[in-house]
């Protein structure tokens, strides 16, 4: 009981404050933005030939309700929270009348699957290669790995994605250009569907892994270089302990805590989607939906995805905060 009162409850309160403040900022940004979603939508309709002033006026009233812009700012804010707590984010204007929650629920599995797999693989590769090259920095193979990673890391992400697309979807048509699954394939736990998902998601995942691994590698190598100079590692080497034992029991464990924190935050941010990745590969995830929503001024979709991203990152930070004492004995539940 004392643990819940003194450690868990304060952190749950911090999580709630972060979510409330972040959601409030998301609520305010569209309302202080110079871009008016109602007028943007009406302009699009007018360009399609809708010129009846009465019809435009009626449509404006409807759009004010759909975007939650009726009344004072305080009234809009209270109404926003009342709907949000019921899981109602309003309708999507680009996929009207589909609810925003339904649109996000349809796209989220693709984004979560792609981002979860690529984030974990990149994390494992980055910290493994960074630990090995940092500890065995004098070896030839370590210098080769370091040179390869340092050549790949500065490449802009969109260039990497386009290169992979050109090489392995156009020049050598091994993988499909776009989409997440083959046309006409029904979802199910069978090898036809699973194989199609893997083929369509391979290039987007590899592009994310290559760029993200570089950052993990550099940060882990820097951490390892710092830890090697610490007293307990020096004493272990003087005592002639096996190098493998020193690397895993001392160096790797000492660098695991900051890397685990970074992994938790990265996993929390996957709900925002990989906008550039999904756009380049036409992958039907949250990033693709967000890109379309930004272009067409669908503020309900933008707000919905932003809220999911805020809650995901805040939850990731909360979980790692609660797990810190298990990962590092220097931290205590108090």
């Amino acid at each position: 009981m004392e643990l819940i009162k003194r450690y868990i409850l304060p952190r749950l309160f911090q999580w709630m404050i972060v979510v409330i403040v972040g959601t409030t900022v998301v609520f305010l940004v569209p309302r202080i933005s110079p871009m008016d979603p109602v007028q943007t939508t009406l302009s699009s309709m007018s360009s399609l030939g809708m010129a009846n002033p009465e019809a435009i006026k009626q449509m404006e009233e409807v759009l004010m309700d759909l975007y939650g812009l009726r009344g004072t700012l305080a009234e809009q804010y209270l109404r926003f929270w009342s709907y949000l707590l019921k899981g109602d984010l309003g309708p999507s204007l680009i996929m009207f009348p589909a609810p925003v929650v339904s649109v996000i629920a349809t796209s989220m599995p693709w984004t979560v699957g792609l981002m979860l797999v690529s984030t974990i693989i990149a994390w494992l590769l980055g910290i493994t290669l960074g630990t090995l090259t940092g500890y065995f920095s004098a070896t030839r193979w370590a210098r080769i790995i370091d040179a390869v990673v340092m050549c790949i890391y500065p490449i802009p992400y969109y260039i990497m994605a386009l290169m992979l697309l050109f090489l392995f979807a156009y020049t050598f048509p091994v993988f499909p250009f776009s989409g997440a699954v083959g046309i006409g394939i029904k979802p199910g736990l069978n090898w036809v569907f699973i194989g199609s998902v893997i083929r369509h998601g391979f290039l987007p995942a590899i592009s994310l892994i290559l760029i993200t691994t570089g950052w993990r590698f550099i940060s882990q190598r820097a951490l390892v270089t710092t830890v090697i100079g610490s007293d307990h590692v020096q004493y272990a080497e003087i005592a002639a302990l096996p190098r493998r034992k020193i690397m895993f029991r001392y160096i790797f464990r000492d660098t695991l805590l900051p890397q685990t924190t970074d992994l938790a935050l990265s996993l929390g941010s996957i709900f925002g989607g990989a906008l550039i990745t999904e756009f380049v590969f036409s992958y039907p995830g949250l990033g693709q939906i967000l890109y379309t929503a930004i272009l067409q001024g669908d503020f309900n979709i933008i707000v919905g995805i932003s809220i999911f991203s805020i809650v995901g990152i805040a939850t990731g930070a909360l979980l790692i905060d609660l797990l810190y004492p298990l990962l590092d004995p220097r931290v205590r539940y108090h």
Side-chain angles (χ1 to χ4, degrees):
M1 192 66 183
E2 189 68 19
L3 171 65
I4 296 175
K5 181 179 179 181
R6 299 187 61 181
Y7 192 86
I8 297 179
L9 285 180
R11 282 153 181 80
L12 287 174
F13 181 73
Q14 292 174 4
W15 174 87
M16 185 175 64
I17 294 298
V18 169
V19 171
I20 291 175
V21 171
T23 304
T24 301
V25 171
V26 171
F27 164 82
L28 290 174
V29 166
R31 287 160 175 80
I32 62 177
S33 170
M35 182 178 178
D36 188 337
V38 174
Q39 295 303 319
T40 301
T41 305
L42 290 176
S43 298
S44 300
M45 292 180 175
S46 298
S47 64
L48 295 175
M50 182 179 175
N52 188 330
E54 185 62 29
I56 292 177
K57 181 64 178 178
Q58 292 177 358
M59 182 58 68
E60 183 177 3
E61 296 294 324
V62 171
L63 290 173
M64 291 285 287
D65 289 329
L66 292 177
Y67 280 120
L69 298 175
R70 191 176 298 282
T72 64
L73 189 63
E75 291 172 344
Q76 294 177 35
Y77 186 68
L78 293 175
R79 193 182 309 115
F80 170 79
W81 274 105
S82 68
Y83 282 112
L84 182 61
L85 293 175
K86 292 185 292 186
D88 185 358
L89 293 168
S92 166
L93 272 296
I94 58 177
M95 300 182 185
F96 189 85
V100 168
V101 174
S102 175
V103 174
I104 292 177
T106 302
S107 303
M108 185 174 290
W110 299 112
T111 290
V112 171
L114 173 66
M115 297 291 289
L116 185 64
V117 171
S118 59
T119 299
I120 292 176
I121 292 176
W123 186 79
L124 291 173
L125 279 176
I127 63 173
T128 301
L129 294 177
T131 301
L132 291 172
T133 56
Y135 189 57
F136 300 102
S137 57
T139 62
R140 182 178 179 182
W141 59 264
R143 290 196 294 268
I144 293 174
I145 293 175
D146 183 64
V148 171
V149 173
M150 294 307 294
C151 287
I152 294 176
Y153 177 68
I155 299 175
Y157 173 73
Y158 60 91
I159 297 296
M160 176 65 71
L162 290 172
M163 282 172 48
L164 291 173
L165 193 64
F166 178 77
L167 284 174
F168 298 108
Y170 180 74
T171 306
F172 305 102
V174 181
F175 299 99
F177 266 104
S178 61
V181 68
I183 298 174
I185 298 178
K186 295 182 179 180
L189 294 177
N190 55 75
W191 286 114
V192 175
F193 175 74
I194 295 173
S196 181
V197 170
I198 292 174
R199 287 190 69 243
H200 283 77
F202 186 82
L203 289 182
I206 287 297
S207 63
L208 288 169
I209 290 169
L210 287 175
I211 298 301
T212 310
T213 298
W215 159 247
R216 307 272 185 207
F217 171 85
I218 293 171
S219 62
Q220 179 67 7
R221 189 186 58 180
L223 288 170
V224 168
T225 303
T226 303
V227 172
I228 286 176
S230 60
D231 292 339
H232 65 287
V233 174
Q234 295 295 317
Y235 291 150
E237 292 185 342
I238 292 172
L241 292 178
R243 300 199 73 181
R244 181 179 298 179
K245 184 176 182 179
I246 295 174
M247 184 174 65
F248 286 104
R249 179 167 293 185
Y250 296 99
I251 297 175
F252 182 74
R253 288 184 62 181
D254 284 356
T255 60
L256 187 61
L257 187 61
Q259 293 291 8
T260 304
T261 304
D262 188 52
L263 175 63
L265 295 177
S266 298
L267 292 176
S269 66
I270 66 177
F271 297 102
L275 193 149
I276 298 178
T277 307
E278 295 176 8
F279 172 71
V280 171
F281 293 98
S282 298
Y283 198 79
L286 292 177
Q288 178 79 344
I289 295 295
L290 180 60
Y291 175 79
T292 305
I294 292 172
L295 287 183
Q296 300 190 20
D298 191 341
F299 279 63
N300 286 350
I301 288 285
I302 297 172
V303 168
I305 293 178
S306 300
I307 290 174
F308 270 90
S309 183
I310 289 169
V311 173
I313 295 173
T315 303
L318 171 65
L319 291 177
I320 199 62
D321 201 12
L322 295 177
L323 293 174
Y324 259 151
L326 299 178
L327 299 172
D328 190 347
R330 294 170 296 181
V331 180
R332 291 289 181 265
Y333 289 113
H334 59 73

